[in-house]
Amino acid sequence: MAVTIIYSTSQKYPLYQMGNPQLRIFRPPFFLTLVRPGKEQPPDVVQFRIPMVMTKFDVRNYVEKIYNVPVGAVRTRIQYGTNKKRNHLNQKVKRPDYKVAYVQLAQQQTFEFPDIFPKKDVKSAEGSVEEMQEKFMEDEEQRQKPDPRRGGVTEWFGL
Amino acid sequence: MAATSAGRVLTLCRQFQNAFRISTTLSAQQSTVTLTKGRSYPHRLPSTLLSSSWSCNLDLAVQCRPLHTTISRRGLEEFFDIPENWGEATVKSGAPWTAKQLRTKSNEDLHKLWYVLLKEKNMLLTIEQESKRQGQQMPSPERLKKIDRSIRRLDTVVKERENALRLLQTGQERARPGDWRKDVFGRIYWYRFREHALPWYMNRRYKRKRFYTPAFVAPHLRLRLEKYLRAKTRKQKKESENQAVLKEKFPQMQAKSQ
């Protein structure tokens, strides 16, 4: 089974008629994106952006089998991407549509979206360009600060 | 962590291929040697953990396949990078898989690698989306390209193998059956068959699609042919004129220059 994007399930998958064997997809070409929910969601809900051709059953099987996470309920919706924005040539630019899946975890598990970009205190290497630049910026900031002896009063007031 | 770090190692870094001889049947002793030989980050390949699983096989038959690493049980954490890399500006990653390397792997290994790459790509897409959300730069975005290329090459290799197998077993060149057919404009193209639930004579939409050229299209075909012949003649004339000019300039010229 190739990686080609599946535009319609009816075309690339074999036709299903009653009595046919269960369709199995080896090497699924679908990629899920875990997103931070825009609106407040219950603690056991995980929000994904999924390809348009995936269904609730697909998402359930995918998460259960590949990530070994017990799934309770799955709800999906399609988010329409705006076609209103215009570029510098006044042409309409379409933002792509995408499908969102809300996956409720089973067995009373909870999930909280972590903070992936924590502030880390980065100390530059000794004698490097970054260290000199940082020192220069610190000195500049110090010079720009007003005279502390004036007690917060601006220079506009004479004396 | 051993399994997931093994997964990550398997994903991108071909330098670590020597450490993971899953496909070849090695004795357990040899495998411990190769594991420690492989140059790796100390926290990525805890050889103690892996060697314990290898050492238990020492008592078993030497020719048996080494144990496969356990499946990761991290669950939804696999959508994110390891916590040490959160907040970093760059994350080190190795070169993508080449088709040549992938052709040496067995089918089971390729199947497993597909899922490893899939999970890695999911992780990268998650990080990318979150970085857009937070207004931060994604650390090392070139990893996405590498993963894409690896996945495409893996697919190519699998398709090659499927093609070869089908050719040997059935003699069919194509996986999807098709036929040469004429469309309404008189052009002949390769029509690929679709699966239908009804026979063609009961399929109304299929009957509306005409696989023949109606009679009134003949003038258009004539004009198209004339255009094609005119273009061909023009090209040939231009070529011969060019040759004549060159011959005048360089009388000793023999070979036809491009």
Side-chain angles (χ1 to χ4, degrees):
Chain A
M1 264 128 259
V3 150
T4 49
I5 298 173
I6 295 178
Y7 291 109
S8 75
T9 46
S10 60
Q11 198 169 1
K12 289 284 158 61
Y13 296 148
L15 201 68
Y16 181 79
Q17 285 167 315
M18 193 128 96
N20 284 11
Q22 169 71 53
L23 169 70
R24 291 177 205 287
I25 305 176
F26 306 106
R27 305 184 299 118
F30 309 120
F31 305 105
L32 263 55
T33 314
L34 225 181
V35 294
R36 187 186 284 273
K39 290 202 174 133
E40 193 62 36
Q41 296 289 336
D44 60 345
V45 163
V46 188
Q47 193 169 333
F48 290 103
R49 282 197 191 176
I50 62 178
M52 288 287 238
V53 288
M54 277 184 94
T55 55
K56 293 182 185 179
F57 305 99
D58 291 331
V59 172
R60 180 193 297 271
N61 288 339
Y62 189 105
V63 177
E64 275 183 345
K65 303 231 164 96
I66 301 184
Y67 286 93
N68 230 337
V69 172
V71 168
V74 182
R75 298 179 292 276
T76 56
R77 68 175 177 94
I78 297 184
Q79 175 61 55
Y80 170 75
T82 173
N83 197 13
K84 213 174 191 183
K85 292 273 166 78
R86 288 176 186 262
N87 60 7
H88 62 286
L89 301 166
N90 208 31
Q91 298 160 340
K92 282 205 219 175
V93 176
K94 162 84 180 163
R95 281 201 193 151
D97 304 331
Y98 55 90
K99 204 181 240 190
V100 181
Y102 300 92
V103 172
Q104 250 178 330
L105 303 171
Q107 293 160 20
Q108 289 146 352
Q109 287 186 4
T110 53
F111 176 76
E112 217 215 285
F113 201 96
D115 178 25
I116 310 181
F117 299 101
K119 276 266 180 276
K120 277 193 187 172
D121 260 332
V122 180
K123 253 300 173 221
S124 325
E126 285 291 317
S128 70
V129 185
E130 286 89 29
E131 207 224 339
M132 285 197 289
Q133 282 177 340
E134 260 179 55
K135 205 159 175 307
F136 180 74
M137 290 309 291
E138 274 172 31
D139 288 337
E140 274 293 319
E141 271 172 47
Q142 194 57 41
R143 245 174 282 156
Q144 293 297 332
K145 279 209 185 92
D147 196 354
R149 294 173 295 181
R150 286 182 66 80
V153 181
T154 46
E155 291 277 341
W156 188 88
F157 298 101
L159 244 73
Chain B
M1 270 299 268
T4 44
S5 53
R8 287 199 196 291
V9 157
L10 209 74
T11 310
L12 291 174
C13 304
R14 61 175 156 170
Q15 288 93 324
F16 304 135
Q17 265 183 74
N18 297 327
F20 282 93
R21 295 194 183 278
I22 327 172
S23 38
T24 56
T25 49
L26 275 183
S27 65
Q29 220 165 8
Q30 250 184 314
S31 59
T32 43
V33 170
T34 49
L35 275 169
T36 48
K37 236 205 297 188
R39 273 173 288 115
S40 54
Y41 307 118
H43 70 275
R44 283 225 179 235
L45 261 181
S47 45
T48 46
L49 245 146
L50 283 165
S51 52
S52 58
S53 68
W54 295 133
S55 58
C56 73
N57 279 342
L58 270 169
D59 303 325
L60 306 173
V62 172
Q63 289 303 318
C64 76
R65 251 171 106 88
L67 258 182
H68 67 84
T69 50
T70 50
I71 48 166
S72 160
R73 294 219 171 261
R74 291 193 313 153
L76 289 171
E77 282 179 50
E78 284 184 310
F79 278 101
F80 307 100
D81 214 345
I82 48 176
E84 289 99 67
N85 287 345
W86 291 2
E88 296 286 330
T90 49
V91 174
K92 273 195 193 178
S93 57
W97 284 90
T98 65
K100 199 171 164 186
Q101 294 161 354
L102 290 168
R103 278 186 198 111
T104 61
K105 299 294 167 200
S106 75
N107 283 331
E108 284 98 11
D109 288 342
L110 289 183
H111 192 83
K112 289 175 194 171
L113 183 62
W114 178 269
Y115 288 96
V116 171
L117 292 172
L118 183 107
K119 286 208 232 179
E120 183 76 14
K121 180 150 183 196
N122 284 349
M123 183 259 283
L124 292 173
L125 287 171
T126 309
I127 295 177
E128 192 187 20
Q129 185 55 42
E130 182 62 15
S131 68
K132 283 185 194 171
R133 181 69 169 271
Q134 302 292 340
Q136 302 277 347
Q137 273 203 334
M138 179 191 170
S140 317
E142 70 273 1
R143 292 184 283 174
L144 269 166
K145 275 201 218 161
K146 290 182 187 173
I147 281 282
D148 279 331
R149 283 178 193 156
S150 300
I151 290 174
R152 251 181 286 139
R153 287 165 190 170
L154 207 164
D155 191 52
T156 315
V157 169
V158 172
K159 262 171 118 174
E160 279 175 10
R161 289 187 187 179
E162 280 180 359
N163 268 348
L165 208 63
R166 193 183 52 247
L167 272 169
L168 284 169
Q169 288 179 336
T170 59
Q172 298 289 329
E173 285 123 13
R174 296 167 211 267
R176 187 168 163 186
D179 194 21
W180 290 108
R181 287 200 187 167
K182 210 187 263 207
D183 66 358
V184 235
F185 301 108
R187 296 181 292 215
I188 298 174
Y189 69 106
W190 180 257
Y191 169 73
R192 294 189 302 158
F193 292 154
R194 276 181 74 161
E195 277 194 79
H196 298 280
L198 338 168
W200 71 267
Y201 49 83
M202 286 168 71
N203 195 340
R204 288 200 190 160
R205 209 215 298 165
Y206 179 85
K207 283 195 280 189
R208 282 204 299 270
K209 195 182 168 90
R210 291 166 288 177
F211 290 107
Y212 59 90
T213 318
F216 58 80
V217 184
H220 165 75
L221 289 179
R222 172 81 190 193
L223 290 168
R224 215 168 60 209
L225 179 72
E226 285 175 7
K227 183 178 180 180
Y228 166 75
L229 290 172
R230 223 177 282 137
K232 194 166 142 195
T233 326
R234 268 194 222 131
K235 196 173 167 194
Q236 282 172 345
K237 251 192 160 174
K238 197 162 178 179
E239 184 60 42
S240 57
E241 277 169 15
N242 200 16
Q243 285 297 311
V245 163
L246 281 172
K247 190 87 184 170
E248 209 188 296
K249 267 193 176 176
F250 309 105
Q252 291 89 29
M253 184 181 83
Q254 266 135 34
K256 181 168 178 239
S257 54
Q258 292 304 318

